[in-house]
């Protein structure tokens, strides 16, 4: 199965000169998107990656709310 490397939102194509910095929020989102779109050997690995990304996002939001 061939997966689309571009997410369903408007991000510039690689090599266009408008790539996001890997450490910016946009760059991090792109990296997470690419990570979850890879074809792992099984579905369990894909769900583990998604769960870890979700937990990281929840931890980030919770740390900002607690302040």
């Amino acid at each position: 199965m061939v997966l689309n490397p571009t997410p369903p939102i408007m991000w510039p194509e690689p090599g266009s000169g408008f790539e996001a910095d890997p450490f910016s929020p946009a760059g991090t989102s792109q990296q997470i998107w690419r990570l979850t779109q890879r074809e792992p050997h099984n579905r369990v690995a894909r769900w583990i990656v998604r769960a870890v990304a979700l937990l990281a996002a929840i931890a980030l939001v919770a740390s900002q709310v607690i302040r």
Side-chain angles (χ1 to χ4, degrees), residues 11-48:
W11 282 343
E13 291 294 324
S16 67
F18 295 101
E19 293 89 6
D21 177 36
F23 301 106
S24 70
T28 303
S29 298
Q30 288 176 347
Q31 290 174 2
I32 291 172
W33 171 264
R34 290 182 189 121
L35 183 64
T36 59
Q37 295 306 306
R38 289 185 184 159
E39 189 63 40
H41 295 291
N42 59 32
R43 291 178 189 252
V44 173
R46 182 181 298 162
W47 283 106
I48 289 172

Side-chain angles (χ1 to χ4, degrees), residues 61-67:
V61 170
S63 69
Q64 296 301 314
V65 170
I66 291 173
R67 286 184 176 188

